[in-house]
Amino acid sequence: MTVTEPARSRTGTRSGKATSGRSGRKGGSGRTGGRLRSTAGSLRRATVDWLDRPMTSLHLILAVFALMLGIGLLMVLSSSAVTSYRNGGSSFSTFANQATYAAIGLIGFFATQYVPVRFLKSTSLIAVIVSIALLVAVLIPGIGAYVNGARSWIRIGGFQFQPSEIAKLALLLWMAQVLAARRSTLGSPKALLIPVLPVFGLMCALIMMQPDLGTTVSLAIVFMAVLFFAGAPWWMFVSLAGVGVAGIFYLAVSANYRLARLLSFINPEDHPDSSYQLLQSLYGMGNGGLFGVGLGQSRAKWSYLPNADSDFIFAIIGEELGFIGTFLVVLLFALLAYTGLRIARRNSDPFIKIVASAGTVWLVGQACINIGYVIGLLPVTGIPLPMISAGGTSLLITMVVFGLLANFARREREAEIALAAAGGGRLAQFLGLRPNSTGPRKPMLRRRRRAAAPARQPRPAPPGGRSAPRASGRPPAAAARPAAPAPRPTGRSAAPRGTTARSAAHRTTGGSAPRATPQPGTRSARPTRDGRDGRPDSRRGGR
């Protein structure tokens, strides 16, 4: 009998192949998605673990500082080459001046990392007094230099500096010291505002006499940030903020050139003369596109954009490096904001908390205002971009603030323990990672020496049941480690359970046990609390 196999239909075969193909594609996509989710989870866990390390804050602030300083010097060289060559015959004159201030600032940055907090508190009042004296001196003709429509500079030989930048740092340290000392009575308006408000008002009045509205706005940011992080009540903070905004608006419309800037911000096309700088900035950034026209290839710096190396350097970054370059700069300032607030949160000293958080808001706030008026979101105020714009005094003070943040990052509890426990080479010492010479390291060495010392063995018991006199002195360092004690005998000669050492000695030696001589390099057993050396007492019959 012949059995024929049923024929398979072509349709069923094709449908089976199609089903298997779809299932294979689904399986492949599922495996790919699983790998992506696993990679993302591993990356997230690695990031969280790295952020939990004790030295993360210090590493972040050092990285942000180095990147900002490098980008700033590079862009100052690129944006000022044409103007420097036209004014002085050398394309590197502005860059050389900026590099000189950067070298001085590096010394201040590394020196500030080791300044004690007590010294900052004790000298803050002196710094405020000196800064007020300099603000008064800059208004005297012959001492203060008149540059760009404001008497804001003091020149001493070939060196010049801006006292208003020093006043920001002095006000920050002094207000933090005063409010940290009065943190238990900050609910009272008198304790909160006296004497910080009169000093702030005096500084603002002296700066507006130069006149310099941009620096006044920066000083107001410092003042409000310190009050906020010191714990000022919301009603007081909102009231002062409203009064400050009203005062800035009045100052903006009180002078004709400031009013022209405000009107050009509202409608740039109707005021082409006063909005010329803003329009050239927007043209340059639009020309950059996504990747930029190339480093050093900007067209706006060829006398089209005024102050291309200082106030509007962000526009040159957008033109030469494109959206990628501007995004990198914004990302660095965002990382600075995170790191500064992280340092403030991980410290316990109220003074450090206020200085770190308010100093971070100061730098990031200036960056937001500068980027805002460069792209047309805010009126032009003349505030430089921290660490990026050309300006010697601004760069010096900003680098000192970075040094304070690095100092506070080293004072985190976990960082102090890690720095004290780990060793530091030359590179670590140069980067500020040098461990402290005093700390919990000596007890650790004592424990290691104690653990490496030879073990003490108990001295054999005398027949009288009393402990032998302790040997004097420590064993010599070169002596060999004594052998381990012999195991307890288990034969018939061993003392049965319930008998004492004296009865066992009498039984084996006929009533007299020979006195054991101490071995060299050994010490007697340490006596217990009741004065015995740990052996069973014959009078109590043993245990």
Side-chain angles (χ1 to χ4, degrees), residues 11 26 31 42 81 133 135 164 169 189 199 202 207 222 225 244 261 326 339 352 371 397 413 468 483 491 513:
T11 307
K26 289 182 179 178
R31 287 191 296 271
S42 302
L135 289 176
S164 56
L169 181 60
V199 173
L202 177 61
I207 293 174
V222 174
R261 287 182 179 180
T326 56
T339 308
I352 294 179
I371 296 174
I397 298 301
R413 182 171 180 80

Side-chain angles (χ1 to χ4, degrees), residues 235-307:
W235 63 268
M236 185 181 301
F237 184 78
V238 172
S239 301
L240 290 175
V243 172
V245 171
I248 291 174
F249 179 78
Y250 170 75
L251 294 175
V253 300
S254 59
N256 294 330
Y257 71 96
R258 300 193 198 114
L259 180 60
R261 287 182 179 180
L262 184 60
L263 295 177
S264 64
F265 162 73
I266 296 175
N267 195 352
E269 287 77 10
D270 292 345
H271 302 82
D273 295 335
S274 57
S275 62
Y276 173 79
Q277 199 172 16
L278 173 61
L279 294 177
Q280 292 297 325
S281 171
L282 296 178
Y283 294 157
M285 296 193 68
N287 188 34
L290 183 60
F291 298 102
V293 297
L295 190 63
Q297 304 299 319
S298 171
R299 300 176 183 176
K301 65 183 180 182
W302 290 81
S303 303
Y304 290 103
L305 178 61
N307 300 323

Side-chain angles (χ1 to χ4, degrees), residues 121-370:
K121 294 179 181 179
S122 60
T123 57
S124 59
L125 179 59
I126 300 175
V128 168
I129 296 175
V130 171
S131 62
I132 292 177
L134 291 175
L135 289 176
V136 173
V138 77
L139 300 176
I140 301 175
I143 298 179
Y146 199 79
V147 180
N148 294 330
R151 194 183 297 275
S152 305
W153 301 84
I154 293 179
R155 289 179 178 176
I156 302 176
F159 179 78
Q160 63 179 11
F161 64 95
Q162 194 173 1
S164 56
E165 295 290 337
I166 303 175
K168 299 177 191 177
L169 181 60
L171 182 67
L172 170 65
L173 296 176
W174 178 70
M175 284 187 63
Q177 192 271 335
V178 171
L179 297 182
R182 300 180 180 181
R183 59 186 181 274
S184 59
T185 60
L186 290 182
S188 170
K190 181 179 179 180
L192 184 63
L193 300 179
I194 304 298
V196 294
L197 184 59
V199 173
F200 167 71
L202 177 61
M203 285 185 174
C204 289
L206 292 175
I207 293 174
M208 285 307 302
M209 292 175 66
Q210 298 177 5
D212 191 351
L213 180 61
T215 306
T216 305
V217 173
S218 300
L219 195 68
I221 292 175
V222 174
F223 178 76
M224 299 302 292
V226 172
L227 287 182
F228 178 80
F229 290 106
W234 277 103
W235 63 268
M236 185 181 301
F237 184 78
V238 172
S239 301
L240 290 175
V243 172
V245 171
I248 291 174
F249 179 78
Y250 170 75
L251 294 175
V253 300
S254 59
N256 294 330
Y257 71 96
R258 300 193 198 114
L259 180 60
R261 287 182 179 180
L262 184 60
L263 295 177
S264 64
F265 162 73
I266 296 175
N267 195 352
E269 287 77 10
D270 292 345
H271 302 82
D273 295 335
S274 57
S275 62
Y276 173 79
Q277 199 172 16
L278 173 61
L279 294 177
Q280 292 297 325
S281 171
L282 296 178
Y283 294 157
M285 296 193 68
N287 188 34
L290 183 60
F291 298 102
V293 297
L295 190 63
Q297 304 299 319
S298 171
R299 300 176 183 176
K301 65 183 180 182
W302 290 81
S303 303
Y304 290 103
L305 178 61
N307 300 323
D309 57 345
S310 55
D311 297 344
F312 282 83
I313 194 171
F314 189 76
I316 304 300
I317 296 175
E319 184 179 8
E320 294 187 351
L321 303 181
F323 175 79
I324 303 298
T326 56
F327 178 76
L328 177 61
V329 173
V330 173
L331 183 63
L332 286 177
F333 279 103
L335 190 58
L336 171 62
Y338 166 77
T339 308
L341 297 180
R342 170 192 169 96
I343 293 171
R345 180 176 58 87
R346 293 167 68 93
N347 275 278
S348 57
D349 190 348
F351 174 79
I352 294 179
K353 285 180 173 290
I354 296 174
V355 173
S357 54
T360 302
V361 172
W362 165 21
L363 298 183
V364 177
Q366 281 195 184
C368 292
I369 294 176
N370 179 274

